[in-house]
């Protein structure tokens, strides 16, 4: 559990190192070129949100605030073996997703 309190770069290096060995150059590239959620969310909202623009709601979800309205961009649906329901894979844009 102590590892989860690490900086994201150190945590990524630790986890990838467990599977692939020395991954420092790859980790450095990812950290440098892939924006964090706070920086990437406004462009994602602008690109994918199809509601009315320049509304209070759009501005709220663009802030990537964990205490605001929940907005999840579902990118892939995986059917369960029973074919009666799906698991969804998505990116939380704003708000906090909690397990019941």
């Amino acid at each position: 559990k102590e590892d989860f309190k690490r900086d994201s770069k150190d945590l990524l290096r630790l986890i990838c190192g467990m599977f692939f060995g020395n991954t420092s150059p790859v980790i450095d590239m990812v950290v440098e070129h892939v924006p964090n959620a706070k920086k990437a969310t406004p462009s994602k909202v602008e690109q994918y949100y199809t509601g009315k623009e320049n509304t209070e709601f759009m501005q709220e979800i663009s802030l990537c605030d964990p205490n605001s309205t929940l907005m999840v961009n579902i990118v892939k649906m995986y059917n369960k073996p029973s074919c009666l329901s799906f698991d969804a894979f998505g990116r939380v844009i704003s708000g906090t997703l909690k397990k019941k």
Side-chain angles (χ1 to χ4, degrees):
K1 288 190 175 187
E2 290 297 318
D3 289 333
F4 293 119
K5 295 178 182 176
R6 291 179 178 220
D7 176 72
S8 59
K9 183 177 180 179
D10 293 333
L11 183 59
L12 190 58
R13 183 173 281 122
L14 174 72
I15 293 170
C16 288
M18 289 176 171
F19 292 98
F20 306 113
N22 183 14
T23 58
S24 292
V26 174
I27 302 299
D28 292 340
M29 187 271 312
V30 168
V31 169
E32 185 176 332
H33 296 289
V34 176
N36 65 35
K38 204 68 148 164
K39 290 179 183 175
T41 297
S43 64
K44 294 283 184 195
V45 170
E46 187 177 309
Q47 186 177 8
Y48 296 116
Y49 181 66
T50 58
K52 291 183 181 178
E53 293 184 15
N54 300 323
T55 61
E56 183 180 332
F57 179 68
M58 185 176 178
Q59 292 170 357
E60 184 180 306
I61 62 175
S62 294
L63 295 175
C64 192
D65 181 8
N67 299 315
S68 69
T69 305
L70 178 63
M71 174 63 71
V72 180
N73 178 26
I74 303 298
V75 294
K76 179 76 175 164
M77 299 286 284
Y78 297 95
N79 64 314
K80 292 197 175 199
S82 67
C83 295
L84 298 175
S85 62
F86 292 90
D87 286 328
F89 179 73
R91 178 183 186 148
V92 176
I93 301 295
S94 71
T96 302
L97 196 58
K98 296 179 182 178
K99 189 175 183 179
K100 274 190 165 182

